[in-house]
Structure formats: structure tokens, C-alpha cells
Amino acid sequence: LPLKSYYKTLGQHLCATLPVDLPDDQRQLLMFLSGHFDNTHYLHHYFRAGETFRNDEHETAYKHIKKCLKLNPDFSQGFYLQGKILEYSHKLNSAIKAYRQSISQKDVRYFYYHALSKALEQTGQLVEALEMIAKARELQPEEPLLICDEGDLRLARGQTAEATKLYQQAIKLNQE
């Protein structure tokens, strides 16, 4: 495998984790890999968007993620990152649109639904937020964070008994 192909394959594999959520050593590896893609490759812009977002350079991050998605309009991680950038820029309705695009792709991850649920909750759309957290839990049923977030949503809707059961379930899972 030629070195450039190796870097491309490794970079695509590592894209399963959002660059802003990576530990510093892995993030540095991604930035190293991004240097092996010219600016006509979507991963170059994805990695740059993640790095500039991590540095609170939201406008620059947004420009990079738009270029990334123009080059690869089926890149679910790109839509997820776009949603994060927009959410942190206080553009919730646009973030919701981006998160919806991330879940419309073929390689959906539970945290896409979770992010959409949290954005919907912030806009008062509790019924749909519950639907999205349920979809996230279908993919990751024993994730305590998701269970607690469902509990929070149920509590906000006045469903105290259901919320209490969920919180107890999350506590039990955290002790195991």
C-alpha cells in the first residue's frame, strides 16, 4: 500500500471520532494526517474544521466544514461536526438541520441522534427530542448518559415516575 493511500485509509478510519473529542495525542495524529491531503480532499477540510472548532474559531471551522461537505455530500461525520459548530455559534435551527442530515446518511451513530435530541430540547421540542433519544438508545441501549438524558426529558414532561426509573437504571449501569 503506497504511503499516501495508507494515510488516507487511516484518516478515514479515525474519522469515526470527531476531532474535537479526541485526546491530544490522537488529535495531533489527525492533524498530521490532514497534512497528507491537499485542500481538494474532503478530509483535509474536515480535520481543519475540527481543529479550528476546538480553538473556538467557529467562522473558520464553518468555512472548512462547508468545503468538506461540498466535496463529500454524503459524509455523515461532516454534518455532525457542522451541527456542533452551528450549535456552539448559537444557531440552533441551523444546527438541527445539520444533525438531521447526519442521521439521514447510511452510517449513523448514536451520538448523532443524541446531539439532535439535545438541540431539539433546547428549542422546546420535547416530544421529538424523546423520539431521537429513543433512536440513540436503540443503537447504544446501556449508555448511562442517554438514559439520564431520557430521564431529564421525561421529567421536563412531568413523567416523574418514568424519570426516576431511568435514573436508577443509569446508576445501576454506572456501578457495574
Side-chain angles (χ1 to χ4, degrees):
L1 191 64
L3 193 56
K4 189 159 185 133
S5 295
Y6 172 77
Y7 286 145
K8 181 179 178 182
T9 303
L10 181 59
Q12 289 170 329
H13 175 71
L14 290 173
C15 274
T17 307
L18 182 65
V20 295
D21 295 338
L22 290 173
D24 282 342
D25 60 334
Q26 291 178 19
R27 186 175 53 80
Q28 288 171 356
L29 173 61
L30 286 177
M31 294 315 297
F32 168 77
L33 292 173
S34 75
H36 291 278
F37 300 107
D38 62 37
N39 66 359
T40 62
H41 196 283
Y42 75 99
L43 287 176
H44 168 84
H45 295 287
Y46 176 72
F47 295 144
R48 293 293 178 208
E51 181 65 15
T52 53
F53 176 59
R54 183 181 173 104
N55 293 330
D56 291 324
E57 299 170 34
H58 297 162
E59 278 186 44
T60 304
Y62 187 73
K63 288 176 186 175
H64 278 292
I65 204 61
K66 289 298 282 185
K67 288 178 186 174
C68 168
L69 291 169
K70 184 177 181 182
L71 293 167
N72 186 351
D74 299 322
F75 188 45
S76 63
Q77 293 98 322
F79 287 112
Y80 173 74
L81 179 53
Q82 182 182 45
K84 285 291 181 194
I85 293 166
L86 290 164
E87 187 175 350
Y88 278 77
S89 300
H90 308 289
K91 298 175 181 175
L92 276 177
N93 290 329
S94 296
I96 288 170
K97 278 183 175 179
Y99 291 141
R100 287 188 196 287
Q101 288 181 286
S102 75
I103 65 170
S104 73
Q105 305 301 315
K106 61 183 172 199
D107 60 337
V108 178
R109 294 179 171 84
Y110 81 90
F111 50 88
Y112 299 174
Y113 287 111
H114 182 246
L116 177 55
S117 175
K118 296 303 281 181
L120 290 165
E121 178 184 13
Q122 290 179 67
T123 61
Q125 301 174 63
L126 299 182
V127 172
E128 191 176 359
L130 264 170
E131 291 170 7
M132 293 303 110
I133 207 73
K135 289 185 181 212
R137 289 200 55 207
E138 286 173 17
L139 297 173
Q140 199 74 23
E142 295 192 357
E143 172 56 54
L145 174 65
L146 299 177
I147 297 167
C148 286
D149 282 350
E150 182 179 346
D152 292 346
L153 289 165
R154 296 213 177 270
L155 194 59
R157 298 196 65 217
Q159 301 169 342
T160 308
E162 293 91 341
T164 301
K165 288 178 189 173
L166 288 163
Y167 294 140
Q168 290 171 340
Q169 180 185 2
I171 290 169
K172 184 179 175 187
L173 284 170
N174 252 349
Q175 292 173 345
E176 294 175 355

